[in-house]
Amino acid sequence: MMRPLHAKEIDHAVKECILCGRCLEVCPLVSATGREELSPKAKHTLARVLRQEPERLEGKHVAELAGLCLACGRCEKACPQGLCTPEAVADLRHAHPDLKQWLWKQWIEKGGALWPALAWLSRRLPEGRAEPSPRYDAFKTMGSGPGITPFLRVSNFPDAGLGREAVLFPGCTARRLFPAWTDRAAELLAGLGFSLPKKQPDWACCGSTLGHAGCTEAQHEAQQANLDAWRKAGRPLIVTFCATCRCGLRGYPDADLSWEPGEALRWNESVTSLAHFMADVTIESTGEPPAAVYYHKPCHGSGLAGAGADEALLARALGDRYAGTTGDVCCGMGGIMQLGAPQLSRQVADTLWTRLNPSAGSLVLTGCSGCVLQLKATAPEGVAVGHWLEAFSPQNG
Ligand code: SF4
Ligand code: SF4
Ligand code: SF4
């Protein structure tokens, strides 16, 4: 027998799926596999059956089906009912937890020592493995792939900061695997005239990936810890260079945290992207850029003000070496889905690479930590992938 519904699940019932099928056109899982049972429409049908006739479904099957979503959010933008599939899927995952959730929670919360060790190992994996395996790819997401030789530098900064206090929110991936991103971001912020503390706040995960995985309590704890860290730092500007972190942080005012009057609005106004402040910097070349440089648009945060600032920065800096975006296609990272269905994640990535068909020697830059990991692990041979910050040389180098 299934357990009774939570209040939040009942709330989803107020807005029903009208089976119009518009979401099928935008769901990366459907595009990559042609399988309609993976669609947002199917997930909302599953949620409805659970609400109305819970005895028809077994918890194990619900957990399996609920695991098959990348949480990219593309369907919500297309849905005339405004249904948020990642939220509905997170509710299903929360109500029907399995081992994958426990593992994902440990992975995110306690990966401080494990991630760098796996990254070290992944860089020693043999290239050109005879039989490609999605689980092997998942391991490779820990930081394999060629590094990038920087070819840009900021030669002149406008005083965008005016001495304002700012802190960086690097996110788990930068903290654990790519500390150079944070170093570069700190140099750029200092150049822009912001005042940075000697020690950055003791941040937790932004909570997005925990929330999508249905680890609701862990997400709430992470959000509250970050709110407390911001208060302790004196409520400065929070500057991010990962679209998914920014999207997660901007969602905090909707969460039931210990907000003081007016504080949620101030929080939201404080969360800004680094590229947003770089619109008027002067950029010079410090080396020859690759023949073609693409930009991968992260799904998350695409509707937020300031989205696209990093792409505009690169396009301006690269001139005719800028080859455009990788298309309006998700990378297939999918967070917890990497544990349950890595082959689907790989199929979505393959769709992107097949459509783009980049030549060897090309470079793909992006502004989302998750996209960097996924694209690095799945890129065709000879194609480099990195965060856009990696294109910039150290300011004092
Ligand atoms: S969030 Fe993305 S992967 Fe999940 S159902 Fe919607 S479009 Fe498909
Ligand atoms: S777009 Fe929305 S209403 Fe239409 S089928 Fe998809 S989930 Fe249902
Ligand atoms: S990792 Fe990037 S492309 Fe993939 S779902 Fe998240 S934001 Fe979208």
Side-chain angles (χ1 to χ4, degrees), residues 70 72 244 296 298-300 330-333 368 370-371:
L70 298 160
C72 69
T244 302
H296 172 71
C299 308
H300 297 139
C330 177
C331 70
M333 177 53 157
C368 164
C371 302

Side-chain angles (χ1 to χ4, degrees), residues 16-24 40-41 44 75 78-83 85:
E16 281 287 358
C17 171
I18 54 171
L19 307 176
C20 68
R22 283 194 210 171
C23 53
L24 270 70
K41 183 171 123 183
H44 288 290
C75 48
C79 178
Q81 295 289 87
L83 290 172
T85 312

Side-chain angles (χ1 to χ4, degrees), residues 39-204:
S39 70
K41 183 171 123 183
K43 290 178 177 90
H44 288 290
T45 304
L46 173 73
R48 183 173 46 76
V49 172
L50 264 179
R51 285 193 297 270
Q52 294 171 353
E53 303 167 85
E55 66 286 348
R56 275 181 59 193
L57 293 165
E58 267 185 49
K60 182 169 155 280
H61 295 136
V62 174
E64 263 171 33
L65 280 169
L68 304 179
C69 174
L70 298 160
C72 69
R74 287 165 181 263
C75 48
E76 185 181 3
K77 290 179 200 128
C79 178
Q81 295 289 87
L83 290 172
C84 178
T85 312
E87 209 173 281
V89 164
D91 288 347
L92 289 170
R93 284 170 172 160
H94 183 246
H96 306 280
D98 61 10
L99 178 66
K100 291 193 286 296
Q101 273 168 300
W102 183 84
L103 284 172
W104 192 248
K105 185 169 168 296
Q106 306 306 311
W107 179 245
I108 298 299
E109 290 184 338
K110 303 194 176 134
L114 189 61
W115 287 31
L118 288 177
W120 184 87
L121 273 175
S122 77
R123 283 192 286 272
R124 281 149 188 84
L125 290 172
E127 285 300 328
R129 199 166 176 268
E131 287 172 32
S133 142
R135 287 194 193 279
Y136 185 79
D137 289 344
F139 185 41
K140 276 171 64 190
T141 60
M142 294 314 299
S144 60
I148 297 167
T149 307
F151 46 85
L152 300 172
R153 180 188 282 125
V154 176
S155 57
N156 189 42
F157 288 98
D159 190 359
L162 302 168
R164 276 178 294 170
E165 294 192 345
V167 288
L168 278 165
F169 188 96
C172 309
T173 305
R175 259 201 336 262
R176 294 170 179 171
L177 298 180
F178 301 104
W181 297 353
T182 312
D183 295 344
R184 199 72 358 96
E187 289 165 15
L188 293 169
L189 271 184
L192 285 161
F194 288 95
S195 164
L196 279 91
K198 284 206 172 58
K199 186 179 174 304
Q200 294 292 332
D202 201 6
W203 299 117

Side-chain angles (χ1 to χ4, degrees), residues 224 226-236 258-260 263:
Q224 186 61 53
N226 287 333
L227 174 57
D228 292 341
W230 179 61
R231 285 176 180 153
K232 202 170 155 197
R235 298 186 179 85
S258 65
W259 296 111
E260 292 171 12
E263 200 182 25

